[in-house]
Amino acid sequence: MLYTVTVSYQRMFPLYRLVNIGNTTTVKAATILKNQPYDDQAAYGAPVTRNCP
C-alpha cells in the first residue's frame, strides 16, 4: 500500500515578500507498507512489548 500525505499551510514569517515567492508552502510525504496476507497471521508468534534501548 502506498500512503501519501500532502499538507499546505501559510508561511509563518513574511520573508516570502522579499524573495517574491507565495505565502503558502506545501509539504508532501509518502511511505510504502507491505500488507500481510490474512491466512499467514497464525504463523506468527505472540506480540512482544518492550522499551526502546
Side-chain angles (χ1 to χ4, degrees), residues 3 5-6 9 18 22 25 31 36-38 43 47 49 51-52:
Y3 290 98
V5 175
T6 304
Y9 58 92
L18 297 174
T25 188
T31 188
Q36 174 181 332
Y38 181 77
T49 303
N51 294 331
C52 294

Side-chain angles (χ1 to χ4, degrees), residues 6-48:
T6 304
V7 177
S8 295
Y9 58 92
Q10 291 185 345
R11 297 183 189 272
M12 294 188 340
F13 303 104
L15 295 175
Y16 63 89
R17 294 180 199 155
L18 297 174
V19 290
N20 199 21
I21 58 175
N23 68 340
T24 60
T25 188
T26 302
V27 178
K28 184 176 181 178
T31 188
I32 297 175
L33 297 175
K34 182 178 178 184
N35 280 344
Q36 174 181 332
Y38 181 77
D39 292 339
D40 292 344
Q41 290 183 6
Y44 295 101
V48 177

